Amino acid sequence: MLEELNCETVFTIPIFGGIGVSEAVVVTWVIMAVLVGLSIIFVRNLKVENPGRKQIVLESAVGWASDFFEGIIGKENKRYIPYLITIVLYLGVSNIISLFGFKPPTKDLNVTAALAIMSMFLIEYSGIHKNGVKHWMKHFAKPVPVVAPIMILEIVIRPLSLCMRLFGNVLGAFVIMELLKAIVPVLVPIPFSFYFDIFDGLLQAYVFVFLTALFMNEEQE
Amino acid sequence: MLQLNVNLLFTIINLVVLYLLLKKFLIKPVTDIMEKREKLIADGLNEASSAREEAAKLKVEYEAALTGARDESVKIVEKAQTQAKAEYERIVSEAGVKAGGMLDSAKAQIQLEREQTMKALQSEIAGLAMTAAARIVGEKTENQGNQDIYNQFLEEAGDAHEDTDKH
């Protein structure tokens, strides 16, 4: 049981006294390969006129996602949209990958922390890019200078909350599912799997990018 | 499970690579296609609206031309009518004048002919009278008085005169 919870080291790179590559990283490679492979397959033969059914589905999905993010962060921040789409795809696949027998990489704190750190940099970068360093420095002292420590703390708190929310949800779902499977292995896990593996996983992916976009928007004010 | 290690760095690298790959292979081509289609549609709409504008302009032009043509045709018809009227009047008056002239000349000719006929008749009558007189003088001098002869002659001559006058 506890073994299931551990993030095993799949192999060790034999330099610097051995660098352990965890399962999450390997599963991420698999996800990357699948996503890129599917992209290459589906994006072939795109046509401006008379798109096929495949292309219509693809376009409406990408169009829906970019419209969604554009609605949050605005038209002038279009350049962040590809990153957000990438993250939502990665998280969506990672969170439901336990259906395919892999351990979700988001169950590893390293992955959620990495995502949160990237979100943090993106949030602060978008603020600085939009309003300049000076404005970025000044905005900590608004509306009154007293709140400056809290505002500075917020830089860390926001990604920390993103990281922990995702990690906790996926880990919790994973633990519950493992327990259920251990106790009642037949039929009963199915509805729970729908909720914990699919619904919760997709919801957390959505929440993660939604909050990242929202924080970016906030930071640009 | 709850430890941060070098795998965090690996994940960041993984995510950056995934971002670049997906951007290149998924998002950019799809977005490009969608933008191209949007541009195509916008171009089509622009073209359609400009064509419509041009058509409206041409319509106005044609209508103006048509109105001008109609006015001109009305003018031409009016002009033709006045001309025709003038010509008609001229012809009619000319014809009247000509007919009057012809009538006059005919009258004059008739008069002339009548006069000639009268003259001829008079000379004929005179001849007849002479003959008659001669005959009467020859035959009836003995039987009748001179008074009767004259009366008879005058009667015949008068009748003849009246007859010619009537005709």
Side-chain angles (χ1 to χ4, degrees), chain A:
Chain A
M1 191 71 211
L2 267 176
E3 260 173 39
E4 286 291 329
L5 285 175
N6 280 337
C7 296
E8 290 159 28
T9 299
V10 180
F11 62 93
T12 309
I13 301 171
I15 41 168
F16 304 121
I19 300 169
V21 176
S22 73
E23 208 177 356
V25 174
V26 176
V27 175
T28 302
W29 290 341
V30 174
I31 294 168
M32 285 166 68
V34 169
L35 282 178
V36 174
L38 286 178
S39 302
I40 291 169
I41 290 167
F42 282 123
V43 168
R44 266 184 322 176
N45 302 325
L46 289 187
K47 282 170 280 182
V48 174
E49 284 170 51
N50 297 325
R53 187 179 301 184
K54 203 175 66 182
Q55 190 185 341
I56 288 171
V57 171
L58 192 68
E59 274 182 22
S60 51
V62 173
W64 180 84
S66 37
D67 282 351
F68 171 74
F69 291 124
E70 209 177 290
I72 301 171
I73 59 178
K75 218 176 180 108
E76 67 275 9
N77 294 313
K78 250 184 170 168
R79 57 214 201 86
Y80 303 122
I81 289 173
Y83 174 76
L84 293 170
I85 290 176
T86 306
I87 296 303
V88 79
L89 279 176
Y90 171 69
L91 281 178
V93 177
S94 320
N95 290 352
I96 62 172
I97 206 164
S98 58
L99 292 177
F100 303 102
F102 294 96
K103 274 191 202 168
T106 36
K107 188 178 69 63
D108 189 338
L109 192 62
N110 286 308
V111 172
T112 58
L115 283 162
I117 288 167
M118 290 178 80
S119 285
M120 181 180 81
F121 278 112
L122 194 70
I123 290 163
E124 302 308 326
Y125 170 76
S126 72
I128 294 168
H129 181 83
K130 173 86 183 295
N131 296 322
V133 182
K134 233 186 213 171
H135 184 278
W136 183 73
M137 296 293 275
K138 271 187 198 161
H139 95 282
F140 291 116
K142 279 174 189 171
V144 279
V146 184
V147 300
I150 300 168
M151 295 293 279
I152 292 168
L153 217 56
E154 202 180 28
I155 298 178
V156 183
I157 290 169
R158 283 197 296 218
L160 190 69
S161 75
L162 284 176
C163 162
M164 287 307 176
R165 176 185 302 111
L166 184 58
F167 173 69
N169 266 284
V170 177
L171 183 73
F174 186 78
V175 169
I176 290 172
M177 284 315 295
E178 288 301 320
L179 285 173
L180 256 175
K181 280 180 211 164
I183 297 164
V184 197
V186 186
L187 285 177
V188 178
I190 293 173
F192 289 94
S193 176
F194 273 118
Y195 179 80
F196 288 113
D197 286 338
I198 299 174
F199 176 71
D200 192 40
L202 295 179
L203 186 72
Q204 288 312 314
Y206 170 82
V207 165
F208 190 93
V209 286
F210 177 72
L211 283 177
T212 302
L214 214 63
F215 290 149
M216 281 168 72
N217 198 36
E218 216 172 71
E219 197 63 28
Q220 286 178 29
E221 277 171 2

Side-chain angles (χ1 to χ4, degrees), chain B residues 42-84:
Chain B
D43 281 358
L45 286 177
N46 278 345
E47 214 164 281
S49 74
S50 71
R52 202 183 303 134
E53 265 169 34
E54 199 160 319
K57 214 167 69 186
L58 277 179
K59 194 183 165 202
V60 169
E61 243 167 59
Y62 286 148
E63 267 171 9
L66 210 63
T67 320
R70 206 176 293 142
D71 285 355
E72 200 156 325
S73 74
V74 167
K75 234 181 265 170
I76 286 169
V77 167
E78 270 174 10
K79 200 173 160 195
Q81 273 176 343
T82 46
Q83 256 177 2

Side-chain angles (χ1 to χ4, degrees), chain B residues 87-103:
Chain B
E87 186 81 354
Y88 165 79
E89 272 166 9
R90 191 181 63 80
I91 287 168
V92 165
S93 66
E94 218 167 69
V97 167
K98 213 181 239 177
M102 275 168 80
L103 208 63

